């Protein structure tokens, strides 16, 4: 089951993001993320959040259209994104795509990026999609599809990462370490339309540029 989650971050180029939207089985809008749904041509299956960033009239419109809405208190331990992510986990998602995960609040952006780790730990493939980047995290095998010449970076997520090998990259890594304090994995390049990264230990973050 593939799930799309739309959050309340920045989606600067709606048309570009719309063109890269995957086919999914279920769509959850987290709070103000529902503002993007209409422009993206997406009808949410569920809207969740504390709705501190969404006018009541927008909620009424979707409620009248029969879209289920789950309201949560503003004072809570989980972010609206985490609520949506955990719902995707509970419904048995095999793959999750996050939109609107990045914005002007760096703390929110980082917290949303950590949702990739939360999903990956549960064996669920996940990506953050935005106008400029695709972001993934993994402790095993990462498969990357793109165009020859496209830039991507391999970054340690929480500590030193051991890379067993890579395939399809201009600057290969074979039995190497990505130190947390030495990000030499920035700005690698695809030399094949499909690349692989095999992680031996630790968690790697893969950022594929889409400019």
């Amino acid at each position: 089951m593939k799930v799309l989650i739309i959050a309340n971050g920045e989606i600067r180029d709606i048309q570009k993001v719309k063109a890269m939207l995957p086919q999914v089985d279920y769509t959850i809008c987290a709070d103000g993320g529902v503002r993007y749904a209409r422009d993206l041509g997406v009808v949410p299956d569920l809207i969740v959040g504390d709705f501190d960033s969404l006018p009541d009239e927008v909620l009424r419109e979707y409620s009248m259209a029969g879209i289920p809405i789950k309201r949560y208190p503003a004072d809570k331990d989980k972010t609206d994104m985490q609520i949506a992510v955990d719902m995707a986990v509970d419904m048995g998602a095999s793959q999750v795509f996050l939109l609107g995960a990045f914005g002007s609040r760096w703390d929110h952006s980082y917290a949303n990026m950590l949702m990739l780790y939360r999903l990956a730990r549960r064996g669920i493939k996940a990506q953050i999609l935005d106008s400029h980047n695709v972001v993934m995290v993994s402790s095993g095998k990462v498969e990357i599809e793109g165009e020859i010449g496209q830039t991507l970076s391999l970054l340690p997520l929480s500590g030193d990462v051991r890379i067993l090998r890579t395939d399809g990259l201009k600057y290969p890594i074979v039995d190497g370490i990505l130190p947390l304090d030495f990000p030499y994995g920035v700005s690698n390049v695809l030399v094949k339309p499909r690349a692989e990264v095999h992680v031996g230990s630790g968690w790697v973050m893969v950022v594929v540029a889409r400019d």
Side-chain angles (χ1 to χ4, degrees):
M1 182 182 190
K2 296 182 179 180
V3 177
L4 173 67
I5 297 174
I6 307 175
N8 192 37
E10 295 178 0
I11 300 181
R12 297 180 180 179
D13 191 332
I14 288 288
Q15 294 307 313
K16 186 176 181 180
V17 171
K18 186 175 181 179
M20 61 191 287
L21 282 178
Q23 293 291 322
V24 298
D25 305 295
Y26 199 88
T27 298
I28 303 172
C29 285
D31 203 280
V34 76
R35 294 181 295 112
Y36 295 118
R38 184 175 291 126
D39 291 338
L40 290 168
V42 173
V43 178
D45 296 288
L46 176 65
I47 302 171
V48 302
D50 54 32
F51 306 124
D52 59 350
S53 57
L54 194 65
D56 287 340
E57 56 266 27
V58 175
L59 282 180
R60 282 196 297 270
E61 178 183 346
Y62 279 96
S63 178
M64 291 177 65
I67 306 298
I69 297 171
K70 293 189 177 182
R71 185 184 291 269
Y72 293 81
D75 294 331
K76 59 187 184 305
D77 292 330
K78 291 184 177 182
T79 65
D80 294 326
M81 174 67 94
Q82 186 177 336
I83 289 171
V85 164
D86 287 350
M87 285 185 168
V89 172
D90 291 342
M91 64 179 62
S94 58
Q95 192 166 8
V96 177
F97 302 91
L98 310 180
L99 288 181
F102 298 146
S104 59
R105 285 281 302 270
W106 191 87
D107 52 344
H108 278 281
S109 298
Y110 184 70
N112 288 339
M113 193 274 296
L114 291 178
M115 292 300 98
L116 296 179
Y117 173 70
R118 187 175 183 85
L119 288 161
R121 284 185 60 211
R122 290 157 174 80
I124 300 171
K125 293 182 179 180
Q127 296 180 355
I128 288 177
L129 310 175
D130 77 358
S131 304
H132 302 291
N133 304 281
V134 175
V135 185
M136 301 167 278
V137 304
S138 179
S139 62
K141 177 182 175 182
V142 187
E143 298 177 343
I144 304 155
E145 295 184 359
E147 299 178 0
I148 294 174
Q150 197 167 7
T151 300
L152 76 157
S153 296
L154 306 178
L155 299 168
L157 181 61
S158 60
D160 296 351
V161 177
R162 180 173 175 238
I163 303 296
L164 297 177
R165 65 180 176 86
T166 62
D167 180 63
L169 301 183
K170 181 177 181 180
Y171 308 108
I173 302 174
V174 179
D175 196 18
I177 300 295
L178 294 177
L180 186 60
D181 63 347
F182 184 25
Y184 73 86
V186 169
S187 296
N188 211 318
V189 181
L190 287 173
V191 293
K192 295 180 180 179
R194 184 183 180 91
E196 293 183 356
V197 177
H198 295 261
V199 181
S201 62
W203 286 83
V204 69
M205 177 169 59
V206 181
V207 183
V208 183
R210 296 187 59 89
D211 292 331

